[in-house]
Each structure stands twice: as structure tokens, then as C-alpha cells.
Amino acid sequence: MTDVLVVDGTGRGHAICDLFVRTDPDTTVYYGPGCDALAAERIVPVPSVRLDAPESALAFLADHPVDFVFVSNIDALSLGYADVLAAHGHRVIGPSKEAARLEASKERGKRFCDDHGLPTARYAAFTDPAAARAYVRALPYACVVKTDGLTPDGDGSVVCDTAAEAEVALDAFAAAQGEAFQVVVEERLYGREISVFALLDGNDYLLFPTALDFKRTLERDAGKNCDGMGSIAPHPQASPLLMEEIRRTLVDPLVSGLRAEGLTYSGFVYIGAMITSTGLRVIEINTRFGDSEAEAVLPGVHSNFTRLCRAVLDQDVASHPLVTDGLVRCSVALTQGCLDLADPATAPGWPFGAFETGQPVTEHTTDAPDASQVFYANVRAGEGGSTVSSGGRVLHVVGTGITLADARSAAYARVGRISFPGMRYRSDIGAVFETAAPAPDATGARGELAVADSGR
């Protein structure tokens, strides 16, 4: 029997816990802080573990020893959670605080790309708003304005069509940050985004399937960026040729760069990239799995994840193949929207501003065959065994199928059976690709267990 502690509290965290228990019947996962509304066999929520306090995990581990700890939340990683646990003798999977700065600081991530040959957009970093405004006015191309640090709702990136829009974004960041103003202005890239994932062991890596995240808040990819309104996996353009380009131009240089800088890194890395007319370009490096991509990618993994994690700890992950089912998945985020659109005094809902919590979440059950599952993000246990909303993104509903059309149908059928006051979601996740043939994964398999090569 194996006991594991997963430090997270998102839909991604639930998907990682599910991956452990689904692929290894002998593993029990303690999930901290997790979700107290989650009732799943061998997933045990631990609300006493806090993301902002590694000492809370140390207190839990003193009474509940585990084989290893998997830290998958960027807020915890950026505080040095993995460093603290490792310093106290625990076996930990998760990048160090210094390695997590590749995500926690956009300027640091861009500099890493330049230093180690990862293709990325031209950029400049600023701590002076006036200098940043003068820079965007002089640019001969459209740009993206990003706040340098982490943002709670994933809205720290503003894609601009004009210099005037960029100046508005700079003014907004300057007003919010004051003397702590720090932004990156980078060339706007054009093409199709792709989410690239790999499991690192500090020396080598194992590639996971790709995904396409839908970051815009509104239908037809309108509105501002947010943490993500849904994802599809594999990416519609996935192919063996593209996967080889990903290895050669993105992941190999990244792993080499980590070694060159002596950064302690184990666990997942998520490279947000753009497929442009001139090849792959890095948008940003993220030091954990994507959310909501985890909910679409990880259910297709059939390798024993506990064994893979032991291989990470032994720095032997590249010798282990990744087994996947080759099916297509569509994940739809259900968010806490406005409770009364007709009332201007009502909170606007996530991610537009304030939102209400404590809304009862219900689902109509059915006896019909169901190719879907639900991952808990921001819900908690209410009175009398009820489930209530507790944050902006409430649930992630995932449909599975041989084709994307099948996956979308399963996802939205399940969405139709769920309700809570103010529930909001995008109805078009993956719709633009629905009539296309399902994309093969790295092995070209569809709907059957497939083994992908690991390492380089």
C-alpha cells in the first residue's frame, strides 16, 4: 500500500488525485487542502493543509507519514513549499521556489527562454509606467502587456490590437500596482495556441499529450483572458511530427537550461506555446500542469502514476513509457456568474468582478450510459450533506468520445443536468473543430491503449 499527499485545491488537483487512485488500486491520496465535498474512494481531503503555509503540511505529515508528497499548486510552489518539505526530510515532487519563478515572474521566464534557446516573442520589461508607454507607442507591431507576477484569476495578460489599447492596459496595471509596477511587453504572436506538458525528474522527462485551452471569457473567444473556460485534448493539430518538433525546440532546451542553471525541478511543466507560420514560439513557462487542461488530459492516461512518480524520485522517468487511451476529451468550466443580470447592484460574477458563494449545486441523475465525469474546483460541503459553490470556477465537466463531437456531446449533456444559481459557462468549447477528424496523439492511436515513447 502507498500513501501520497497531494498539495492543491483546484480541479487540476482533483484530476491528479483521480489519476493516482484510478491507475493504482493500492494507493491512497491525502488531498490538502483539497475539497471537503469530495467523496471518492481512497481520496481523503485534508483541510488543515494550507497552500500558503508549508508548516501545516509538516504538522499533518508528523501524524500521517506518506511515501511522498506531490505539490502541484503554483501558489504553494512559489512560496517554496517543496523546498521546506524536502529540508525536513520528506520525499517531494515539485519544483523549488527558484525554479517556480519561471512562472511566478514573466520577466524571469522570458529571460530563461532567451538564455537557453527556446524560441519566443520579442519583449522588454519595465518598472517605470512612462517608459513602458513610450515603448508601446514606438512599437512597429501589436503587443501583449503582462503583469510580471501571478494573478488570482489568470487575467494578468492583455492582448492588444493597438498602442492605445496597450496604454490602457499599462495604466490599469500602474493604478493597481502603484510603486510595485512591473510589466513585460512582448510582441503579439499569431497562430493556434498549444499546451505542452511533460513530467520532469531533474534530469530527463516524459512527454504527456497536448491540449488546447480556451482562455477567453466569452463565446467565440471574445472577452478578456482568465484561468480558462475549458479545454480539449489532444490538440487538434497534434501529430508525431509536431510532437518531435516540441521535443526538439521546446522541451529539450528547457530541460538543458534547468540543468545548466542548477535549478531543482521535478514534477510537471506546462509550456504555453503558439503554432505560428514560422514554427513554435513559447508564450510562457508554467511550473505545474494546466488547469483546465489537466481535466482533459489526465483521464486519458493509463500508466500507473504512482510508479511514474517513484521513477521521478529515482530520476528514471525517461525509461517508462506513457500509456494513453487515445480518446478525445472536452472539458467545460462551470463558473459562478451573476445571480441577477437585471439588478445592477448584484455582483457581476467571475471573472468580471465580485461573485457570490454558497450557492447550492445540484445534479439530476440518470441511468443512461454516461461518458462524462466531473472534477471539483471551488465547491465545499454545505449543511445536510449538500454541496455549495465556494469560488469562481466551480466545476469542470469532462466528456469523452472517439471524436470531438462525441466528447462535446457527452460534456454538454452532463452540463445540462447540473445547476446552481448564476451558473455560467461557454457553450462553444471546441465547437470550431467539431467537424474535423479526431487528432491522433503522439502514437497516432484513437480509442485504444497506446504507448508513447519517453525522454528524448
Side-chain angles (χ1 to χ4, degrees), residues 95-409:
S96 66
K97 179 178 181 179
E98 184 59 31
R101 288 193 66 241
L102 296 176
E103 176 174 359
S105 168
K106 296 297 183 289
E107 189 274 336
R108 173 71 173 102
K110 296 291 288 188
R111 181 159 38 87
F112 181 91
C113 289
D114 276 355
D115 288 346
H116 300 290
L118 282 79
T120 190
R122 292 173 284 183
Y123 78 99
F126 297 93
T127 56
D128 176 18
R133 292 188 196 97
Y135 178 79
V136 299
R137 284 195 293 267
L139 284 177
Y141 47 76
C143 69
V144 179
V145 179
K146 298 180 178 180
T147 186
D148 187 67
L150 300 172
T151 55
D153 298 317
D155 56 355
S157 175
V158 182
V159 181
C160 307
D161 290 317
T162 65
E165 290 181 7
E167 289 195 66
V168 170
L170 290 168
D171 289 344
F173 285 136
Q177 298 170 3
E179 293 184 359
F181 177 83
Q182 190 167 358
V183 300
V184 168
V185 179
E186 63 181 51
E187 176 187 7
R188 181 175 175 180
L189 298 172
Y190 294 90
R192 180 74 63 192
E193 288 194 33
I194 184 170
S195 298
V196 174
F197 304 104
L199 182 63
L200 278 57
D201 66 8
N203 182 57
D204 217 323
Y205 66 89
L206 178 63
L207 274 180
F208 273 57
T210 56
L212 175 61
D213 184 27
F214 292 78
K215 294 183 176 67
R216 297 298 187 112
T217 57
L218 302 175
E219 308 282 311
R220 296 181 294 278
D221 286 330
K224 68 175 184 177
N225 281 346
C226 67
D227 276 334
M229 296 297 294
S231 296
I232 58 174
H235 192 279
Q237 292 174 247
S239 69
L241 185 63
L242 179 61
M243 294 302 285
E244 187 55 39
E245 183 182 359
I246 285 169
R247 291 179 190 275
R248 185 181 66 256
T249 64
L250 301 185
V251 189
D252 283 352
L254 180 139
V255 172
S256 296
L258 293 172
R259 286 200 299 262
E261 295 196 15
L263 294 175
T264 301
Y265 199 121
S266 64
F268 286 118
V269 67
Y270 154 30
I271 304 173
M274 186 77 77
I275 305 171
T276 76
S277 60
T278 56
L280 291 167
R281 297 290 183 272
V282 175
I283 298 172
E284 60 186 16
I285 299 171
N286 302 278
T287 57
R288 37 78 197 186
F289 217 102
D291 186 10
S292 60
E293 295 100 325
E295 295 86 334
V297 172
L298 297 183
V301 174
H302 288 257
S303 296
N304 185 306
F305 192 59
T306 304
R307 291 177 192 163
L308 286 182
C309 287
R310 289 199 181 103
V312 168
L313 293 165
D314 294 337
Q315 291 196 321
D316 187 39
V317 74
S319 69
H320 292 253
L322 186 73
V323 179
T324 63
D325 62 17
L327 295 172
V328 182
R329 286 175 173 82
C330 174
S331 174
V332 180
L334 306 185
T335 73
Q336 182 60 69
C338 180
L339 298 183
D340 184 359
L341 294 172
D343 182 359
T346 302
W350 188 91
F352 307 105
F355 52 85
E356 302 291 338
T357 59
Q359 305 308 308
V361 180
T362 60
E363 179 175 1
H364 300 291
T365 59
T366 177
D367 294 329
D370 191 10
S372 67
Q373 60 190 125
V374 174
F375 292 107
Y376 285 19
N378 287 294
V379 293
R380 61 176 175 82
E383 296 181 358
S386 64
T387 300
V388 299
S389 64
S390 62
R393 286 194 300 182
V394 179
L395 300 171
H396 297 268
V397 180
V398 182
T400 301
I402 297 293
T403 67
L404 178 57
D406 293 337
R408 292 191 72 249
S409 178

Side-chain angles (χ1 to χ4, degrees), residues 76-95:
L77 292 167
S78 66
L79 294 174
Y81 220 102
D83 310 64
V84 172
L85 298 189
H88 283 78
H90 296 287
R91 283 158 56 92
V92 184
I93 296 176

